Amino acid sequence: MAAADDPDMEAAEEDFGQTVVLTKQIRSVLRGYPEGTSVFKELIQNADDAGATEVKICLDLRRHGTSGLLYPGMAGFQGDALLAYNNATFSDQDFASITRIGDSGKQASTTKVGRFGVGFNSVYHLTDVPSFVSGEYVVFFDPHQTHLPLRTAGADPGRRIKFTVRQGQQLVREHPDTFAPFSAFGCALPKKFNGTLFRLPLRLPEHAKVSEISKATYNKDKVLPLLDDLAQAAPSLLLFLQNVTSVQMYVWDCDAKAPRLLAESSVQGLSSKLKKQRSCMTRLPRSLAQFSNLSQYGTTHRLVIRSQRAETGEDELQGWLIVQGAGKGQALQLAR
């Protein structure tokens, strides 16, 4: 008789092994990422790595219904949130990377600066339940495993819905309140979205009381100064990006039909030559063996950045001389 068929033998055996508490692992990751604008910078860098040219960060103060939710446990997260839009779409590799906590899959590439899996988790400074739409999918994460129902024991703590197929379209129609918060910056489910929109419901005091990730709370009064800090930092950020040419900051007032622009920084006079010069480092050899044989590689170009403040009317132009180099020649001497 097999052990599985013997009741006495079966009672003596049980599942047992080492496990990882996801919320504690995320809390550990957050120690490496300070609060504040670092969250925005990570999202912008990830957008740049994905090839996006536009980024929009918005404090969304709208209130959404709770009666038509697909997941009733999400009712407490239908209010204040941070939206982060970019005009690139997730690849299959991006979807795989964002599910990893300690490894992103970018580290082997010499052309990517951000660390999607690790860097993305800085959003947990602001929220316990991040979500996003990209292409044909909407994704909800629930590290606490308390807001989304688990289909089976040990299931992944989240949901991904393909909303362009018949069953997904039906879910959008039958549970409109779940998907209404994503109605921003051209996203209109169940139509395919040619971009990516993150939604980060702000951690309120009632969430912080039970959160195993962070006790930090956020509201309008804390986020608006962060957007102001980002507006000041945006021109400098654009100096080090390869694809993003525009960063905009918005606030979406509770009863407003559209978001209100606060500030914008953008690269001026963008020609095909300038695009190529900004992204020259993406053409570096992809292996260290090839890179070691590189004697000299680089470019020098002028970059003009315009910064505008919508409410004050401030309008400033900055001119920069950008020098990029890599290799064993003058670039190595300069690094030393």
Side-chain angles (χ1 to χ4, degrees):
M1 178 182 294
D5 298 327
D6 186 338
D8 293 331
M9 291 296 291
E10 188 175 2
E13 185 181 8
E14 63 181 352
D15 292 334
F16 185 80
Q18 294 174 310
T19 60
V20 175
V21 179
L22 184 57
T23 53
K24 291 184 178 179
Q25 191 172 4
I26 292 173
R27 189 167 69 234
S28 178
V29 169
L30 289 183
R31 297 192 187 105
Y33 290 88
E35 293 185 62
T37 58
S38 65
V39 178
F40 305 145
K41 293 175 182 178
E42 285 294 335
L43 292 170
I44 293 171
Q45 182 62 66
N46 285 325
D48 190 68
D49 285 341
T53 59
E54 300 176 8
V55 174
K56 300 177 182 180
I57 307 293
C58 177
L59 173 60
D60 185 1
L61 303 175
R62 294 175 296 169
R63 297 291 185 268
H64 303 281
T66 58
S67 60
L69 289 175
L70 176 59
Y71 310 122
M74 297 291 287
F77 302 96
Q78 292 289 95
D80 295 358
L82 188 81
L83 303 179
Y85 160 84
N86 72 72
N87 62 341
T89 304
F90 263 47
S91 66
D92 290 341
Q93 182 179 350
D94 291 333
F95 278 112
S97 294
I98 204 168
T99 62
R100 303 185 187 119
I101 299 299
D103 175 33
S104 69
K106 285 188 178 181
Q107 296 160 356
S109 173
T110 60
T111 66
K112 294 185 183 296
V113 178
R115 296 171 291 167
F116 215 129
V118 179
F120 168 76
N121 289 290
S122 63
V123 303
Y124 286 105
H125 276 305
L126 304 177
T127 187
D128 285 337
V129 285
S131 57
F132 67 93
V133 173
S134 189
E136 299 179 283
Y137 294 95
V138 58
V139 172
F140 299 90
F141 286 146
D142 178 23
H144 288 91
Q145 301 183 25
T146 55
H147 306 295
L148 300 177
L150 288 177
R151 293 184 181 275
T152 59
D156 292 335
R159 285 285 192 278
R160 184 171 75 162
I161 299 171
K162 189 173 185 178
F163 51 79
T164 55
V165 299
R166 181 179 299 178
Q167 185 179 8
Q169 292 173 349
Q170 183 176 349
L171 290 175
V172 174
R173 289 194 302 269
E174 294 179 353
H175 304 280
D177 290 338
T178 293
F179 304 97
F182 298 103
S183 298
F185 302 118
C187 183
L189 305 182
K191 294 181 180 179
K192 182 179 179 180
F193 182 46
N194 293 319
T196 297
L197 178 65
F198 291 95
R199 183 175 185 269
L200 312 175
L202 300 183
R203 184 183 298 108
L204 303 178
E206 56 266 33
H207 306 147
K209 288 180 181 178
V210 296
S211 177
E212 297 177 4
I213 294 176
S214 174
K215 299 301 180 183
T217 62
Y218 283 85
N219 56 27
K220 175 182 177 180
D221 293 337
K222 291 186 69 173
V223 175
L224 281 177
L226 293 180
L227 291 179
D228 186 69
D229 290 343
L230 178 61
Q232 295 182 46
S236 298
L237 293 178
L238 287 171
L239 295 178
F240 300 97
L241 299 175
Q242 298 172 345
N243 298 296
V244 171
T245 61
S246 172
V247 178
Q248 298 177 328
M249 283 64 68
Y250 293 84
V251 63
W252 200 324
D253 295 314
C254 183
D255 298 323
K257 294 183 178 180
R260 171 168 47 91
L261 181 66
L262 298 176
E264 175 182 9
S265 290
S266 58
V267 176
Q268 301 295 293
L270 194 66
S271 63
S272 58
K273 180 180 179 180
L274 182 56
K275 289 180 182 179
K276 187 175 181 179
Q277 289 173 323
R278 288 187 79 212
S279 61
C280 74
M281 290 303 167
T282 64
R283 295 184 291 280
L284 284 172
R286 293 184 177 273
S287 72
L288 292 178
Q290 292 175 313
F291 188 82
S292 63
N293 296 324
L294 186 68
S295 60
Q296 183 69 26
Y297 177 82
T299 182
T300 301
H301 60 276
R302 186 169 184 266
L303 199 65
V304 177
I305 297 175
R306 184 179 186 181
S307 300
Q308 299 169 284
R309 296 291 187 115
E311 295 185 343
T312 63
E314 295 177 56
D315 194 334
E316 180 184 14
L317 287 176
Q318 299 180 10
W320 295 84
L321 184 65
I322 309 298
V323 180
Q324 301 181 82
K328 297 185 294 186
Q330 295 178 353
L332 182 59
Q333 295 177 11
L334 181 62
R336 288 174 174 171

